[in-house]
Amino acid sequence: MRIVLSLLIFLLMPSLIWAQTAGGKKGKKETGAWPPEISGEKHVYKKVGERELCLWKIADPDSSLRTADQRQPCIVFFFGGGWTSGTPEQFLPQAKYLATRGMVAFVADYRVASRDKVKAAACVEDAKSAIRYLRSNADQLGIDGGRICAAGGSAGGHIACATALLPGFDAANEKTDVSSAPNALALFNPAVVLSPLPGLPVPNEAEQKLLTLKERLGAEPESMSPAHHVRAGLPPAIIFHGRADSTVNVRTVEKFTELMLAAGNRCELKLYDDAPHGFFNLPNNTP
């Protein structure tokens, strides 16, 4: 996975620089129309009641980059929105860019509070289901089930990270013999500390926020906090974060990186001066 992570650094950096020089404008807002109309191969990875949760495959438009029997590495993007809102369209520019560079990219839908009246625990469950779907259907999708990268921003970064680090949060009757852990992580200003952590001084306001998260999460905050579950043998990770982020304190991702490295994992942190929360969103972010 060292090669895959290095490739992601090289491929994602231009789009991040684009976002930063554009002034960190926010991406496309929700219009109220649902489901989104995305140009891509649509796959239902899970059904909850009448609700279909989908993955859209953004494939390589240049077939010369691969042979018929070649299985490509893939990346799946989870949108941000505080586990409350958001749209899979958010990461379409990055997905399309990576598709032109020989990867298969997916953008994922998952349940959120505004549409589905769920807590964040259900968001984690859905993200794990999406990874299992990709791995179980790798041949059909033309991907390498051993080279799956989970990516996302903010709350989407949290649930992407959670697929690799958090135990439990599996859907009922789901085949847990198929791993929900990806092979690499690409995280954009992720929420990785959801409970007070020894050795991590935070402002009083931020600490009070952490202490009141339980209702929003639908589970004990520590059980959903990636930083509290760092251990040896985790997938390599890269984190993109703005120093001016007032939503997710930069010290939290620095601490997460320290913990990952101390446990013997690979974790690279790319910091951007003056970049706010969500700076990776590209201007005029449309499908």
Side-chain angles (χ1 to χ4, degrees):
M1 287 308 298
R2 179 175 295 274
I3 293 175
V4 172
L5 190 61
S6 298
L7 179 66
L8 283 170
I9 296 172
F10 175 74
L11 295 180
L12 288 171
M13 204 64 77
S15 63
L16 289 169
I17 293 171
W18 179 13
Q20 190 175 8
T21 55
K25 294 180 183 179
K26 291 186 177 181
K28 182 178 179 181
K29 294 182 180 179
E30 289 183 85
T31 61
W34 197 263
E37 294 182 7
I38 296 175
S39 178
E41 197 174 281
K42 183 177 176 181
H43 297 267
V44 177
Y45 73 86
K46 182 179 180 178
K47 194 170 181 181
V48 183
E50 295 302 310
R51 176 82 150 90
E52 290 185 340
L53 299 175
C54 299
L55 290 161
W56 286 266
K57 180 181 178 182
I58 314 299
D60 169 20
D62 183 359
S63 60
S64 67
L65 292 179
R66 58 183 172 84
T67 60
D69 60 350
Q70 184 180 1
R71 294 293 178 260
Q72 295 170 272
C74 84
I75 185 167
V76 54
F77 288 99
F78 298 98
F79 59 83
W83 310 289
T84 299
S85 59
T87 168
E89 298 163 295
Q90 180 181 40
F91 280 103
L92 273 176
Q94 288 89 345
K96 290 176 179 177
Y97 180 79
L98 290 176
T100 67
R101 296 300 188 270
M103 294 187 79
V104 176
F106 294 85
V107 293
D109 183 21
Y110 62 92
R111 290 172 292 165
V112 293
S114 63
R115 289 188 288 271
D116 306 286
K117 312 303 179 191
V118 297
K119 306 292 186 180
C123 306
V124 173
E125 178 194 301
D126 292 344
K128 288 194 170 194
S129 296
I131 300 295
R132 285 196 173 101
Y133 178 88
L134 292 173
R135 185 161 283 129
S136 297
N137 296 276
D139 289 344
Q140 172 194 341
L141 296 168
I143 62 173
D144 184 341
R147 290 190 292 169
I148 298 173
C149 178
S154 194
H158 166 259
I159 67 173
C161 191
T163 62
L165 276 77
L166 300 190
F169 300 99
D170 299 304
N173 303 317
E174 196 158 83
K175 294 182 178 179
T176 54
D177 57 327
V178 177
S179 176
S180 64
N183 306 97
L185 296 168
L187 311 175
F188 301 77
N189 50 244
V192 289
V193 179
L194 301 183
S195 184
L197 191 66
L200 180 61
V202 293
N204 288 337
E205 298 85 354
E207 187 161 358
Q208 287 306 309
K209 266 188 192 177
L210 290 176
L211 293 172
T212 57
L213 264 179
K214 184 176 179 179
E215 175 60 25
R216 191 174 173 192
L217 296 177
E220 289 295 334
E222 187 170 324
S223 73
M224 294 190 66
S225 177
H228 289 74
H229 292 85
V230 172
R231 57 194 179 278
L234 292 173
I238 182 168
I239 302 173
F240 303 97
H241 207 93
R243 293 185 187 275
D245 192 328
S246 60
T247 302
V248 178
N249 192 298
V250 67
R251 181 63 188 126
T252 61
V253 292
E254 290 174 334
K255 182 64 176 178
F256 179 79
T257 301
E258 292 168 11
L259 292 171
M260 285 282 283
L261 295 175
N265 301 306
R266 184 180 180 191
C267 187
E268 299 188 25
L269 176 59
K270 305 295 181 181
L271 295 175
Y272 295 84
D273 292 336
D274 304 318
H277 190 69
F279 75 104
F280 59 86
N281 285 306
L282 304 186
N284 303 315
N285 183 353
T286 56

